[in-house]
Amino acid sequence: MAANSSVVSVAAAATTVPGVSTVADFSDLREIKKQLLLIAGLTRERGLLHSSKWSAELAFSLPALPLSELQPPPPLTEEDAQDVDAYTLAKAYFDVKEYDRAAHFLHGCNSKKAYFLYMYSRYLSGEKKKDDETVDSLGPLEKGQVKNEALRELRVELSRKHQARGLDGFGLYLYGVVLRKLDLVKEAIDVFVEATHVLPLHWGAWLELCNLITDKEMLKFLSLPDTWMKEFFLAHIYTELQLIEEALQKYQHLIDVGFSKSSYIVSQIAVAYHNIRDIDKALSIFNELRKQDPYRIENMDTFSNLLYVRSMKSELSYLAHNLCEIDKYRVETCCVIGNYYSLRSQHEKAALYFQRALKLNPRYLGAWTLMGHEYMEMKNTSAAIQAYRHAIEVNKRDYRAWYGLGQTYEILKMPFYCLYYYRRAHQLRPNDSRMLVALGECYEKLNQLVEAKKCYWRAYAVGDVEKMALVKLAKLHEQLTESEQAAQCYIKYIQDIYSCGETVEHLEESTAFRYLAQYYFKCKLWDEASTCAQKCCAFNDTREEGKALLRQILQLRNQGETPTSDTPGRFE
């Protein structure tokens, strides 16, 4: 079968332009812009609207081309001309979501473009029917066993075509999607890699491939084309795999080579900072992005998560109202409103909006996870577990869902279960102190104290967000009568509090001073014991103990007691 010339021209453009695609070079931005405009048109013709939008946005961020350099649409082939009437009619039906009708009129068409739309219409018809049935099961949050009935037939047909080398880049992309939906992950990865070689400019294929990669090791073994598109892919996958430093380096490089006006890149940088919990930086970038692209809805749910964490009620309220005016029936809008109600402790209303989001898109990861959090707040652990499980089905890399499952099983007093889920969360976020502290608590409950100590120390080493790891480690040493190690942990804890100037819970601060006062007292270090006892007097729960200790110290000093020669670490 003759290849569609438009697709061939894109593949050729992506592999023959000197200095653009062969070594991921960005020296010829004009040529890159031409390629982006071309692929934006080709994806739009095939109903791949998100890929088309991505390419168009990226093209818009580059300088305008003069009239002489603007390329006309690719010429039609003989097969395209024969199918043009059926394609035009079917595309009109496709655009109004009448997928079965579109497929009916495309049956028997031979051109690559019409064939793709025929197969894609059948796929989307099956997905729409599946989603309609899934929506009905959202009430009790049963595990969705609804399947896309068209997948098996599509796989057989596309496989036959693939073996006959009759699939172009778009056809390979669809074949990969069908394989992924059937959980044939290895085969899907191979087909998506092939699709990126045949049609490197199609962002959809790169994105699908990204969703199947679980770790950096897996990435090393992929044979990817050396095209400038690979740089965008690597930046995206590094963000997804929580390799934030590498991701930010990639995005900075893309900005430096000429994509500084790309709202996509700016939003991805904001998401990266959100992932490493640099909240101030992420908020600042999102605010800039809102000025640059005020009607943007993508990633605004992530922005609302940051506002929620900072308890910025008025800003979150404004964002929710603003998105409602733009489009109240977008998934992101529903999630933002859900976060707003959650911040106001109206958890039933929040859960209702997350359910609305899932009716709009049952595969939207953020909504499942957030709904799990709301059910946790409402003490509905069984519904929370189901919501988190749905989130993991959508994306196994969602550490929040694994962590949420750990918390629910902790509430249910099932430590072996929660240990498994906390481990999975820790694998995804190895440098997140919250995961390590949760793991340590779990090991403690299971009486695996050596493992617990390792977790608490590691949590402190990676930068303890909640300033609790050292206290927990100190209490563990205390429990094991390792008094010197416990004292060292409390000293570090107090030093950390005073060095960062944060307001912490007085209970733990007083606990630390009480222990150190008693420890120094036993060691007959009267000055240190006296200092800590005086600190104890500042807290209600340790005031009396502090005063009693000061009286004892004074009494012993008057009797001429001397400090021990074995001097431990001192509190400065």
Side-chain angles (χ1 to χ4, degrees), residues 218-230:
M218 199 171 168
L219 191 60
K220 285 178 187 172
F221 293 105
L222 293 181
S223 172
L224 298 169
D226 286 323
T227 158
W228 58 266
M229 281 287 283
K230 183 180 174 183

Side-chain angles (χ1 to χ4, degrees), residues 17 20 26 28-41 55-66 69-71 201 228 259:
V17 176
V20 173
F26 291 92
D28 194 346
L29 288 180
R30 286 188 171 193
E31 192 57 45
I32 288 174
K33 174 139 184 166
K34 288 178 195 174
Q35 293 175 17
L36 285 166
L37 290 172
L38 179 60
I39 195 68
S55 304
E57 283 183 347
L58 210 57
F60 180 78
S61 70
L62 296 173
L65 293 171
E69 290 190 34
L70 288 173
Q71 293 177 316
L201 295 171
W228 58 266
F259 290 95

Side-chain angles (χ1 to χ4, degrees), residues 337-370:
I337 298 169
N339 271 339
Y340 171 65
Y341 281 122
S342 183
L343 188 56
R344 292 181 59 178
S345 298
Q346 294 177 258
H347 300 297
E348 291 84 358
K349 268 194 174 181
L352 178 69
Y353 273 95
F354 294 134
Q355 282 210 356
R356 278 190 192 177
L358 291 164
K359 284 183 179 179
L360 293 166
N361 182 357
R363 292 178 300 281
Y364 196 73
L365 173 67
W368 282 118
T369 308
L370 291 169

Side-chain angles (χ1 to χ4, degrees), residues 76 86 88 171 193 243 368 373:
L76 294 175
T88 305
V193 168
L243 302 166
W368 282 118
H373 296 344

Side-chain angles (χ1 to χ4, degrees), residues 165-176:
R165 299 190 178 280
L167 293 178
D168 62 2
F170 291 114
L172 287 166
Y173 159 75
L174 183 57
Y175 184 32

Side-chain angles (χ1 to χ4, degrees), residues 173 176-177 180 185-197 202-214 218-219 222-225 230 233 236-237 397:
Y173 159 75
V177 169
R180 178 178 67 79
V185 175
K186 188 179 180 302
E187 294 92 329
I189 290 172
D190 292 341
V191 171
F192 284 130
V193 168
E194 189 182 346
T196 60
H197 279 275
H202 180 209
W203 178 241
W206 291 101
L207 212 51
E208 287 288 347
L209 184 58
C210 177
N211 291 333
L212 296 175
I213 294 168
T214 53
M218 199 171 168
L219 191 60
L222 293 181
S223 172
L224 298 169
K230 183 180 174 183
F233 165 75
H236 190 92
I237 189 64
R397 288 197 304 256

Side-chain angles (χ1 to χ4, degrees), residues 11-12 38 63 80 82 86 107 245 276 311 329 341 492 528 554 567:
L38 179 60
D80 285 331
Q82 287 173 7
H107 186 66
E245 194 176 327
I276 53 170
S311 300
Y329 297 113
Y341 281 122
K492 283 194 182 81
E528 287 82 356
L554 185 62
T567 307

